[in-house]
Amino acid sequence: MATPDSNQVEEEFVEAKSNWELEKLYVDLASTKGKALTPVEKKFLRGLLCGCSPAEIASIVYQSRSSSTVRVYLSNGLYKYIEEMLSNAAGYSVKVKNWSRVTYLLEKAGYKKGRIQLPAAIIPKKASKPTQTELVKVKSAAMPDWGEAVDVSVFEGRITELAKTQQWILQEGCRLLLLSGMGGIGKTVFSVKLAQEIQEQFDYVIWRSLRLSPTPEQIIEQLIQNLLPHQEIAISENTEGRISQLIDFLRNYRCLIVFDHFDAVLASSDIDTTLTASSQGMKNSHPSFILTQIQYRPGYELYGELIRRVGESQHQSCLILTSREKTPEITALEGNSLPVRSLRLTGLNLLESLSLLKYKGLTNITEDECHTLLKQYAGNPLFLKLVATTIQELFGGNIDEFIQQGTVVFGEIRTILEQQFNRLSQLEKHMMYWLAMNQNAVSVRQLQKNTIPGLSPKLSQRLILEAVDLLMRRSLIEQQGSSFAQTPVFMEYIIERLIEENLKLSEEQESYFLMSQTIFAAHLKNHIKESRLNAEI
């Protein structure tokens, strides 16, 4: 990105000269720097004094949406000079945590024209210690609102994921981030840890759980109350107008907002397909033929508008969602080099799992035992915690005895898996059955070429492609190169469920995905045989 011609420097942000003691500020900062400010530094300073964000400065100066160059200039230059200048005068460390604090600090220091000077940001060195510093006042004015955020004082692993998401948000300007993954994988804990790690870089931090399915109007009202209580603007009477006001606030201030359990406001596909078939009078169509995209519950569609606006609009804030399912807005807007990203959380590795299990009280666990549990539960943190409790309470801490008894899916683990499975359409469920019995990872082309046992008539290639895509976006299958497979724990759940379903369906001859007893028995025996071989190995 080229540096603008110095002859044009004074032509931009000239209004700053009318409101600020620019020449005095230039001189004081030059004294701190040890030499005169460059024309570009002066220009960026004037842009900040005009209330422009780095992104807005980049747009005006470079006609570019990328603010990386401006941010580098500010972080490596002006911010340091301002901090040193104010710190030298105050006698304590003053930090410019983000661009919006520059005008606040400099105004308090007396560099603004035509205003009655507010209580000084720079307190004389002889001031008594109990006097509050400006920094303390600023922090209390924008106290993070953590809502019902969980305690993450004990946090295992995720170092790579934390580093990656921090880079996306702080360095690459990610403004909408989805943290996805199956139930129990640790999305909630990760979102809190991530927000805590980067909170100092934001003016406002708000964390909200959508577990109880608050309406979009309720959430937007909460955001309005938190972000706009002292703004001198009339709050819009309609929700669409309030969304616009929130977007404007996200432009003017650096805000970090987290919506946890976003999937709670998404609809169940199985219910939707049945209702769709009924409403459209498809008397001769079985709901297994119908695939609906991931969508919002009736009355919750405004969440989609809010997500879309946050992802499409240019601003300096970030909204983080945690969800088991990826919404259409994220799918359409995300990209590796775009400001909308998604990260799918997977299981913990061996060392992380070992540390977690020892923290849960299994202090004598060996690496081999840990590896077995890790493989069975795919490193799912919640499942490992539940298993550790069961081993202590029912098996006296004997890990090997638990492993030998052979039951993998039970209690709350089964409940979590069942909740996700029950959200599927009949066709998606059938696909999960087929993948569980085949065990090996398969590609989309293999699925399209091979007839799924008991499925008649044969599915179209389009339906199979769409079903696999939906299962991926619901975090129910994992990609291995160009192929797809289930996690071992979900495979165990599906096999158990298949046994139960087959007993029920054997009496319903018109069932769409009824399997012949011969085919079913052959696949089941093969599964049991391989499971025993794996256990012996």
Side-chain angles (χ1 to χ4, degrees), residues 414-483:
R414 181 181 175 90
T415 300
I416 292 171
L417 298 177
E418 198 160 60
Q419 287 173 349
Q420 287 194 254
F421 186 83
N422 287 339
R423 294 176 65 84
L424 305 180
S425 66
Q426 291 298 325
L427 178 54
E428 290 171 282
K429 290 177 180 178
H430 190 89
M431 192 72 70
M432 291 291 283
Y433 286 152
W434 192 85
L435 289 171
M437 289 193 301
N438 279 268
Q439 298 191 16
N440 296 324
V442 295
S443 66
V444 174
R445 283 185 59 82
Q446 287 174 315
L447 284 169
Q448 292 172 336
K449 287 174 62 177
N450 298 329
T451 302
I452 299 177
L455 195 59
S456 179
K458 186 177 180 179
L459 290 177
S460 69
Q461 293 187 353
R462 176 186 64 81
L463 280 176
I464 292 177
L465 178 62
E466 290 180 358
V468 173
D469 179 58
L470 280 171
L471 291 175
M472 274 293 294
R473 290 199 279 133
R474 295 186 196 277
S475 306
L476 292 180
I477 57 177
E478 296 182 342
Q479 191 166 3
Q480 300 175 6
S482 61
S483 298

Side-chain angles (χ1 to χ4, degrees), residues 16-81:
K17 191 171 183 179
S18 303
N19 300 318
W20 296 87
E21 300 288 350
L22 267 183
E23 295 306 321
K24 175 176 171 52
L25 189 51
Y26 288 160
V27 171
D28 291 349
L29 287 173
S31 176
T32 301
K33 179 182 177 182
K35 57 182 178 180
L37 298 181
T38 67
V40 174
E41 288 174 334
K42 289 181 178 180
K43 180 193 322 212
F44 289 170
L45 175 61
R46 290 198 307 276
L48 292 174
L49 296 178
C50 289
C52 295
S53 68
E56 291 168 330
I57 293 174
S59 178
I60 294 171
V61 176
Y62 300 115
Q63 289 78 50
S64 170
R65 298 181 64 181
S66 173
S67 61
S68 58
T69 298
V70 177
R71 292 184 185 278
V72 169
Y73 262 101
L74 294 175
S75 299
N76 295 339
L78 280 176
Y79 289 168
K80 292 182 179 180
Y81 309 149

Side-chain angles (χ1 to χ4, degrees), residues 44-294:
F44 289 170
L45 175 61
R46 290 198 307 276
L48 292 174
L49 296 178
C50 289
C52 295
S53 68
E56 291 168 330
I57 293 174
S59 178
I60 294 171
V61 176
Y62 300 115
Q63 289 78 50
S64 170
R65 298 181 64 181
S66 173
S67 61
S68 58
T69 298
V70 177
R71 292 184 185 278
V72 169
Y73 262 101
L74 294 175
S75 299
N76 295 339
L78 280 176
Y79 289 168
K80 292 182 179 180
Y81 309 149
I82 292 172
E83 289 174 349
E84 186 176 348
M85 180 183 72
L86 298 181
S87 298
N88 289 340
Y92 57 82
S93 178
V94 176
K95 294 292 184 183
V96 178
K97 295 183 179 179
N98 54 67
W99 68 270
S100 63
R101 293 301 176 204
V102 170
T103 54
Y104 191 85
L105 289 169
L106 293 179
E107 180 178 0
K108 293 288 179 85
Y111 287 99
K112 193 163 188 179
K113 293 180 178 179
R115 294 286 184 91
I116 298 176
Q117 189 169 339
L118 299 172
I122 305 174
I123 302 174
K125 293 182 180 181
K126 294 183 179 180
S128 58
K129 290 184 179 179
T131 304
Q132 276 191 316
T133 68
E134 189 277 334
L135 290 177
V136 174
K137 292 179 181 178
V138 169
K139 189 170 183 180
S140 63
M143 188 68 68
D145 181 354
W146 292 105
E148 299 177 351
V150 297
D151 179 14
V152 294
S153 56
V154 178
F155 185 85
E156 294 295 335
R158 306 294 192 194
I159 297 175
T160 301
E161 293 94 332
L162 281 172
K164 179 185 290 187
T165 49
Q166 287 182 35
Q167 179 179 331
W168 286 354
I169 295 170
L170 300 180
Q171 299 178 28
E172 300 178 21
C174 177
R175 54 183 178 240
L176 178 58
L177 171 62
L178 171 69
L179 301 174
S180 65
M182 69 180 297
I185 207 67
K187 302 180 294 296
T188 298
V189 172
F190 185 87
S191 72
V192 178
K193 184 65 174 180
L194 173 61
Q196 287 184 355
E197 291 281 327
I198 62 177
Q199 62 176 315
E200 294 298 325
Q201 304 299 320
F202 291 86
D203 302 313
Y204 296 86
V205 176
I206 299 176
W207 194 97
R208 286 289 179 271
S209 172
L210 305 190
R211 184 190 292 272
L212 299 180
S213 307
T215 65
E217 291 81 6
Q218 290 174 325
I219 284 294
I220 292 171
E221 176 67 24
Q222 288 184 28
L223 294 178
I224 290 287
Q225 291 175 356
N226 277 272
L227 299 177
L228 307 178
H230 305 302
Q231 300 296 306
E232 296 179 359
I233 59 174
I235 304 300
S236 176
E237 294 183 359
N238 61 75
T239 305
E240 290 81 358
R242 292 187 173 193
I243 292 177
S244 295
Q245 290 180 317
L246 285 174
I247 297 297
D248 286 339
F249 194 87
L250 299 185
R251 291 193 182 105
N252 296 325
Y253 295 89
R254 195 151 163 74
C255 305
L256 178 64
I257 302 172
V258 181
F259 288 163
D260 186 43
H261 288 289
F262 194 75
D263 47 283
V265 303
L266 301 177
S268 167
S269 178
D270 200 17
I271 294 175
D272 286 343
T273 54
T274 302
L275 291 176
T276 301
S278 176
S279 64
Q280 295 179 359
M282 298 180 180
K283 296 180 180 179
N284 298 322
S285 298
H286 196 280
S288 295
F289 284 110
I290 304 169
L291 273 177
T292 58
Q293 296 301 310
I294 295 171

Side-chain angles (χ1 to χ4, degrees), residues 230-417:
H230 305 302
Q231 300 296 306
E232 296 179 359
I233 59 174
I235 304 300
S236 176
E237 294 183 359
N238 61 75
T239 305
E240 290 81 358
R242 292 187 173 193
I243 292 177
S244 295
Q245 290 180 317
L246 285 174
I247 297 297
D248 286 339
F249 194 87
L250 299 185
R251 291 193 182 105
N252 296 325
Y253 295 89
R254 195 151 163 74
C255 305
L256 178 64
I257 302 172
V258 181
F259 288 163
D260 186 43
H261 288 289
F262 194 75
D263 47 283
V265 303
L266 301 177
S268 167
S269 178
D270 200 17
I271 294 175
D272 286 343
T273 54
T274 302
L275 291 176
T276 301
S278 176
S279 64
Q280 295 179 359
M282 298 180 180
K283 296 180 180 179
N284 298 322
S285 298
H286 196 280
S288 295
F289 284 110
I290 304 169
L291 273 177
T292 58
Q293 296 301 310
I294 295 171
Q295 55 189 297
Y296 295 89
R297 294 168 55 181
Y300 289 78
E301 293 84 359
L302 267 175
Y303 274 114
E305 175 66 11
L306 176 61
I307 299 307
R308 184 188 64 79
R309 293 282 298 276
V310 170
E312 291 181 341
S313 303
Q314 187 173 359
H315 56 79
Q316 59 172 329
S317 300
C318 183
L319 172 61
I320 300 175
L321 310 176
T322 76
S323 176
R324 299 177 185 181
E325 302 178 353
K326 183 185 294 187
T327 67
E329 296 80 19
I330 302 291
T331 303
L333 296 173
E334 71 174 327
N336 292 335
S337 59
L338 297 177
V340 178
R341 310 278 178 92
S342 65
L343 175 70
R344 180 167 176 174
L345 294 180
T346 55
L348 303 178
N349 62 32
L350 181 61
L351 292 179
E352 293 165 350
S353 300
L354 188 61
S355 177
L356 183 148
L357 291 169
K358 285 184 176 180
Y359 180 80
K360 282 289 293 183
L362 300 181
T363 56
N364 296 324
I365 186 171
T366 65
E367 283 197 9
D368 288 342
E369 291 171 334
C370 181
H371 183 268
T372 301
L373 295 179
L374 173 65
K375 184 177 179 181
Q376 286 180 335
Y377 296 100
N380 187 300
L382 178 57
F383 293 176
L384 290 175
K385 291 177 182 178
L386 294 171
V387 166
T389 299
T390 298
I391 290 173
Q392 289 177 301
E393 293 182 349
L394 301 185
F395 295 86
N398 190 322
I399 303 167
D400 184 63
E401 186 177 345
F402 169 79
I403 294 172
Q404 293 301 320
Q405 58 85 35
T407 300
V408 175
V409 180
F410 60 93
E412 190 173 346
I413 296 175
R414 181 181 175 90
T415 300
I416 292 171
L417 298 177

